[in-house]
Amino acid sequence: MTSDLARRAQEVLDNNRRESWTCPSSQFYPHQWLWDSCFVAIGLARTDPQRAAGEVRALFRGQWETGMLPHMIFAEGVRDFGTKRIWQSRKRAAAPRNVETSCITQPPLAAVATLYVARALPGPERGPFLAELFPKLVDYHRWLYRERDPRERGLVTLIHPWECGLDTTPPWMRELRRMPAPWWMRLALRLGLVRLVQFFRTDTKYVPAAERASAVDGLRMLVLIRRARRHGFDLERMAPERSVLVEDLAFNSLLVVANRSLTELARELGREIEPELDRRFRSTEAALEELWDEPTGQYYSRNAGTGELLDIPTVATFLPLWAGTASPPRVTRLLGLLQEPSSFWPRFPVPSVPTDARQFDDDRYWKGPTWVNMNWAIIEGLRRSGATDVAAELRARTLDLVDTAGLAEYFSALDGRGFGAHDFSWTAALTLDLLESAAR
Ligand code: 2M8
């Protein structure tokens, strides 16, 4: 299996290659996405470190003067599927002039990817690569804290489901539905006109509608962009009762990992993280543990306005394992969920939503299917927590799954069928990493 699977994975990454970066899927996602490129770079670090370095560098084409790394950089000359027009990044003074971008961010894995790539680069190339990227990464992390944790609560607040990466997971969609809809949308819902949206959608031309976000959820997400745009995408100007503001579990867990990577990068360069920023890093580690719910033994995201935990279980509950913040009893409870019989451990683990949850949907996007990037992050977390046997089991099952079903975007947790885009870049890249990571 190994060499053939590695060859197929590399082929996907080669076919999805653009000039200096890699799109998630040639047909379906033709632009550059932030966390996708980070996963791609991590995989490419195994086979082609120079290309991996280029992948990370290409992300900084989109960096705003504020330091923000946008969740998308639009490819030129590609037919616009609609969202470019909604963002209108060129109208923002801080946005880059040479490329059009979205105006929100995505899980902050850039420092993590930089560290993986730096370690793979030959000695003489490593120093210059790090010296070039380090200040830009620091700017990004400063932005995250300055703009998204202005009250210094320790957790970064997200303003749109697309920022969390696990876009349509049930807690986010529940919050989205609580947001008051504009009059025209309420009218359209009452008259059943929302079904018309289906005609104008381009995503469902490539992938069955059942595997994507529902039309209503999709429309609400667009409404939310327009609202955020009116407030300059500025958290402090957005009224909590008319927005969806979430202290997201996955994002903040990955932020802790990224902060650690940044600290490591500083050390490699013989520098230090400035004390003020370092203090904020510590505050996130502590605050992440506020998201634990003792009765259910899981972590949840939190509504940033009300402070309420969004207690619908999702795969994000395992990400604090990678952050390394959980106490031993909490780790033990989480590990208990990663074995049979558990709704988080069906035949093809780990489902994005546990199989016994009311919201579980076998084939719909982030509402049930198994995703390779989540499995990969959980494996990293399991290794960090010393649960190497569970890590090895999940690694083997993940590789079997992609070997059989192909390098799809996501998979049925029940029967292993592949869904969404075929030949998906992060599935391919992380497969390369998993194939090589047996000994770690
Ligand atoms: C999905 O998100 C985009 C919007 O950003 C979409 O639905 O069109 C998510 O799975 C996200 O995590 C991912 O980065 C993106 C590209 O693969 O697709």
Side-chain angles (χ1 to χ4, degrees):
M1 171 229 305
T2 311
S3 64
D4 182 55
L5 184 56
R7 184 190 51 73
R8 283 189 282 147
Q10 188 64 51
E11 217 168 78
V12 166
L13 294 177
D14 291 346
N15 290 338
N16 291 345
R17 185 175 190 170
R18 299 294 173 262
E19 298 114 60
S20 56
W21 50 276
T22 311
C23 65
S25 140
S26 295
Q27 229 186 9
F28 197 50
Y29 298 112
H31 308 288
Q32 187 179 21
W33 265 265
L34 175 52
W35 79 327
D36 295 67
S37 273
C38 293
F39 291 126
V40 165
I42 288 169
L44 283 175
R46 297 286 190 177
T47 58
D48 186 348
Q50 278 78 17
R51 180 174 159 198
E55 186 81 31
V56 177
R57 277 198 185 97
L59 283 172
F60 290 88
R61 298 176 300 147
Q63 187 162 36
W64 288 33
E65 270 172 26
T66 53
M68 183 185 77
L69 282 177
H71 105 292
M72 287 176 76
I73 303 174
F74 291 96
E76 275 196 39
V78 171
R79 200 162 69 90
D80 176 26
F81 289 111
T83 56
K84 185 151 83 179
R85 255 168 280 144
I86 299 178
W87 297 112
Q88 300 176 3
S89 70
R90 287 245 160 84
K91 294 192 179 158
R92 309 265 141 211
R97 297 296 109 196
N98 298 336
V99 285
E100 286 194 67
T101 74
S102 67
C103 306
I104 55 171
T105 192
Q106 227 188 3
L109 288 175
V112 180
T114 304
L115 185 61
Y116 273 85
V117 174
R119 288 190 172 148
L121 281 172
E125 291 172 41
R126 192 175 308 149
F129 174 68
L130 287 181
E132 175 193 338
L133 289 191
F134 181 72
K136 300 179 184 184
L137 287 165
V138 170
D139 276 353
Y140 177 46
H141 284 239
R142 281 194 195 123
W143 174 83
L144 284 165
Y145 283 102
R146 189 179 63 243
E147 307 259 332
R148 295 306 188 83
D149 182 21
R151 311 265 156 100
E152 303 207 7
R153 294 203 300 213
L155 296 174
V156 157
T157 294
L158 305 188
I159 61 172
H160 194 283
W162 286 347
E163 292 198 303
C164 81
L166 287 62
D167 298 3
T168 59
T169 35
W172 268 100
M173 291 304 102
R174 188 176 68 185
E175 292 307 286
L176 195 65
R177 275 178 228 130
R178 283 180 181 170
M179 173 186 79
W183 66 266
W184 55 266
M185 190 172 164
R186 290 200 304 273
L187 187 69
L189 283 170
R190 208 171 313 136
L191 300 177
L193 292 177
V194 169
R195 263 174 293 146
L196 277 179
V197 171
Q198 214 57 49
F199 287 117
F200 300 106
R201 287 178 76 169
T202 46
D203 58 344
T204 49
K205 292 198 173 45
Y206 299 104
V207 170
E211 297 173 21
R212 295 287 298 168
S214 72
V216 180
D217 286 347
L219 199 57
R220 281 182 197 274
M221 289 198 257
L222 297 182
V223 165
L224 191 53
I225 297 179
R226 283 171 58 97
R227 270 196 193 153
R229 196 180 67 199
R230 270 206 296 277
H231 297 103
F233 300 98
D234 179 353
L235 170 65
E236 288 285 74
R237 286 172 55 200
M238 296 172 68
E241 58 290 350
R242 294 185 53 74
S243 315
V244 184
L245 307 180
V246 173
E247 291 167 337
D248 184 74
L249 170 60
F251 194 102
N252 281 286
S253 301
L254 297 174
L255 177 59
V256 171
V257 180
N259 288 342
R260 201 165 56 223
S261 297
L262 198 57
T263 308
E264 190 71 19
L265 292 172
R267 203 169 304 136
E268 297 234 352
L269 279 167
R271 299 192 204 168
E272 273 180 11
I273 300 291
E274 65 218 32
E276 173 54 19
L277 193 57
D278 193 56
R279 185 179 65 75
R280 305 297 289 271
F281 290 2
R282 305 285 147 253
S283 70
T284 309
E285 288 166 19
L288 195 60
E289 291 306 302
E290 294 168 17
L291 303 180
W292 174 260
D293 177 58
E294 186 61 26
T296 55
Q298 290 186 45
Y299 290 93
Y300 301 104
S301 295
R302 188 163 71 182
N303 179 310
T306 64
E308 174 204 0
L309 282 185
L310 309 178
D311 59 356
I312 308 177
T314 71
V315 64
T317 195
F318 300 109
L319 296 182
L321 290 175
W322 195 15
T325 52
S327 62
R330 291 183 180 179
V331 172
T332 305
R333 284 188 79 177
L334 290 175
L335 291 181
L337 299 172
L338 292 175
Q339 59 188 11
E340 279 173 69
S342 156
S343 51
F344 268 121
W345 197 264
R347 230 177 113 205
F348 300 94
V350 178
S352 39
V353 175
T355 54
D356 62 353
R358 190 172 48 77
Q359 298 86 355
F360 174 78
D361 208 338
D362 176 39
D363 57 356
R364 199 183 283 280
Y365 212 34
W366 286 99
K367 293 191 174 180
T370 292
W371 290 73
V372 169
N373 66 337
M374 286 294 105
N375 281 12
W376 180 86
I378 295 169
I379 292 167
E380 290 289 298
L382 289 167
R383 285 176 178 150
R384 190 183 161 85
S385 314
T388 44
D389 46 345
V390 193
E393 178 64 23
L394 185 55
R395 171 186 173 272
R397 286 187 184 229
T398 308
L399 287 174
D400 274 350
L401 176 65
V402 293
D403 194 36
T404 312
L407 297 156
E409 189 180 2
Y410 40 98
F411 303 86
S412 163
L414 302 179
D415 61 22
R417 263 176 311 151
F419 296 128
H422 310 293
D423 299 339
F424 190 65
S425 290
W426 82 39
T427 306
L430 298 176
T431 295
L432 287 177
D433 187 67
L434 287 177
L435 282 170
E436 293 286 324
S437 74
R440 256 201 340 242

